[in-house]
Amino acid sequence: MDEIIAYFETLDPVMAAFLATLFTWGLTALGASFVFFFKTMNRALFDGMLGFTGGVMVAASFWSLLAPGIEMSKGEGFEKVVPAVVGFGLGALFIFGMDKVLPHLHVNFRMADKEGVKTPWHKSVLLTLAITLHNIPEGLAIGVLFGGAAMGLEGASIGGAVALAVGIGLQNFPEGFAVATPLRGQGMSRWKSWNYGQLSAIVEPVAAVLGAWAVMTFEPILPYALCFAAGAMIFVVVEEVIPESQQDRYTDIATLGFIGGFMVMMTLDVGLS
């Protein structure tokens, strides 16, 4: 792992963010590829994976984003926490707005429960858009961290950015399968099911490049940008991931998955930062 961090330290931060999110996209595609071998997934395992995803996102929001954002903010007392409060709130409001506009359907929900503006789009598109929506803050977070670390700002490190990419990649793996499996179960071909599954994460490299470029161009926004990504991810976990994992009788397994995901992400961030 030290060699990987050293390699990323030699790269342009925008390229580093792009490569890191190609990795997270690749794990999504790998997870979706299991649809070539399995038509369904055990529901207990499925809910546990959803819980794991939520745990990773919550831990990343604090350890990788909020804490560094507060640490690098200027001032003392209430003044120091202002960028975190503003950025966190704006991030949540951004996803709230997207949630109301973008047509999508959460995993494990019925077509009658689709959200956003009314549309005749097929369930496959709506499922893909739901996962795409919560991949935006994940890619943004990775890009912002790489940009901040490259500028030598306190609280941001290449190790932390790599840890975040690894953690998000781990939870993207079951996400790809989570999108592809129900599509395959509805009779869609293996190839099309895989394609929709991997497509949900293609937005991450785009968001990462934009995030890295933005903080390097407008350095003062970094604390706000970190906390913006955190607010967006927390909104996604509370509004989407947790409800999805609680739709069946395996709520305890989903909760244990959440705890496991939190522990893994916390360990990665502290260990690699």
Side-chain angles (χ1 to χ4, degrees):
M1 187 60 73
D2 289 341
E3 291 79 5
I4 294 175
I5 294 174
Y7 171 71
F8 274 98
E9 288 175 342
T10 66
L11 296 175
D12 173 83
V14 173
M15 177 57 69
F18 179 70
L19 292 178
T21 45
L22 281 185
F23 165 76
T24 62
W25 167 78
L27 283 183
T28 306
L30 181 62
S33 70
F34 274 59
V35 79
F36 288 104
F37 309 102
F38 306 99
K39 191 172 184 177
T40 60
M41 180 191 289
N42 178 275
R43 185 57 189 262
L45 176 62
F46 189 82
D47 287 345
M49 287 180 170
L50 282 175
F52 181 87
T53 293
V56 168
M57 293 177 73
V58 170
S61 296
F62 176 75
W63 295 100
S64 299
L65 302 170
L66 277 172
I70 294 172
E71 185 178 346
M72 67 181 61
S73 298
K74 298 178 181 179
E76 298 294 335
F78 286 111
E79 182 183 359
K80 190 173 181 66
V81 80
V82 166
V85 172
V86 172
F88 190 85
L90 289 176
L93 286 175
F94 171 74
I95 298 297
F96 172 79
M98 293 283 288
D99 190 68
K100 295 302 180 185
V101 175
L102 186 70
H104 63 284
L105 176 68
H106 297 315
V107 177
N108 289 338
F109 281 68
R110 300 168 301 171
M111 276 296 284
D113 298 318
K114 63 184 179 181
E115 300 179 20
V117 298
K118 291 184 179 180
T119 175
W121 291 349
H122 193 270
K123 185 176 182 179
S124 56
V125 177
L126 296 175
L127 282 169
T128 303
L129 287 175
I131 302 298
T132 300
L133 181 62
H134 92 226
N135 281 337
I136 293 173
E138 294 174 1
L140 179 64
I142 293 172
V144 166
L145 263 186
F146 271 110
M151 297 170 69
L153 297 178
E154 185 178 2
S157 69
I158 296 295
V162 170
L164 180 60
V166 171
I168 288 176
L170 288 175
Q171 58 99 13
N172 275 6
F173 179 84
E175 268 184 12
F177 198 23
V179 176
T181 302
L183 301 180
R184 177 62 181 147
Q186 293 170 24
M188 186 176 285
S189 71
R190 291 183 176 89
W191 172 254
K192 282 189 175 180
S193 299
W194 174 83
N195 196 41
Y196 278 110
Q198 62 84 27
L199 192 62
S200 63
I202 202 67
V203 71
E204 287 188 358
V206 177
V209 167
L210 289 176
W213 172 83
V215 298
M216 293 182 65
T217 306
F218 309 103
E219 179 180 340
I221 73 168
L222 181 57
Y224 296 90
L226 286 169
C227 299
F228 180 96
M233 285 210 283
I234 292 296
F235 186 95
V236 166
V237 171
V238 176
E239 197 273 338
E240 177 183 336
V241 178
I242 291 177
E244 288 173 4
S245 71
Q246 303 294 309
Q247 292 295 304
D248 211 313
R249 63 185 183 274
Y250 301 109
T251 55
D252 287 345
I253 293 176
T255 302
L256 290 173
F258 182 98
I259 299 299
F262 191 99
M263 293 168 61
V264 168
M265 186 64 235
M266 178 175 62
T267 301
L268 285 171
D269 192 88
V270 175
L272 295 177
S273 296

